[in-house]
């Protein structure tokens, strides 16, 4: 298994909304109270968007942005890696892996479960 890192997802303790990247205030209910849940990293693709523009430095293009239905019962927007736009589809099983960017910030990204 490639993903030995665990992802702690920040969770609003008032409305239970998950959010990433971590930020102090809940975007749903504006609560400042939060804890963290450990995500299993397993999910399925609920929706996706292929971005070719605008381009941000440090990312590979085209960028596949996926909305993932996590096994935890919430949804998370992230990036699908090791995959081409032709291969991505709705309902495909994906697993999370942790990618570290140039600033050392750890990002959860997904790849197709069959590749993991
Ligand atoms: Zn909230």
């Amino acid at each position: 298994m490639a993903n030995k890192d665990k992802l702690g997802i920040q969770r609003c303790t008032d409305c239970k909304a998950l959010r990433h990247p971590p930020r102090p205030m809940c975007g749903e209910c504006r609560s400042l109270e939060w804890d963290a849940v450990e995500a299993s990293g397993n999910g399925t693709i609920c929706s996706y968007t292929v971005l070719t523009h605008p381009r941000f430095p440090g990312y590979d293009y085209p960028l596949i942005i996926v909305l993932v239905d996590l096994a935890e019962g919430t949804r998370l927007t992230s990036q699908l890696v090791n995959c081409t736009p032709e291969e991505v589809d709705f309902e495909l099983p994906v697993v999370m892996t942790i990618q570290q960017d140039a600033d050392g910030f750890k990002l959860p990204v997904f790849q197709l479960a069959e590749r993991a």
Side-chain angles (χ1 to χ4, degrees):
M1 289 295 285
N3 55 333
K4 40 194 182 301
D5 279 320
K6 292 288 187 186
L7 177 73
I9 297 182
Q10 208 178 2
R11 176 179 60 182
C12 173
T13 52
D14 286 319
C15 74
K16 309 301 180 194
L18 301 191
R19 58 186 190 265
H20 196 90
R23 49 188 184 271
M25 184 183 287
C26 176
E28 301 295 324
C29 71
R30 301 187 175 274
S31 170
L32 294 172
E33 302 298 319
W34 59 273
D35 61 4
V37 292
E38 189 178 279
S40 68
N42 298 314
T44 55
I45 295 174
C46 170
S47 180
Y48 66 91
T49 308
V50 178
L51 292 185
T52 54
H53 188 84
R55 299 201 169 208
F56 300 100
Y59 288 96
D60 292 326
Y61 283 85
L63 197 61
I64 306 173
I65 302 298
V66 286
L67 181 63
V68 175
D69 272 328
L70 284 177
E72 284 69 29
T74 188
R75 286 176 176 174
L76 187 70
T77 304
S78 184
Q79 185 188 347
L80 188 66
V81 298
N82 298 330
C83 184
T84 67
E86 291 74 32
E87 293 171 314
V88 64
D89 205 354
F90 299 105
E91 307 288 321
L92 285 179
V94 290
V95 293
M96 185 169 9
T97 183
I98 303 294
Q99 203 170 67
Q100 198 163 340
D101 76 6
D103 298 321
F105 188 70
K106 288 186 172 181
L107 292 168
V109 297
F110 287 84
Q111 55 185 340
L112 298 180
E114 61 192 34
R115 307 259 169 102

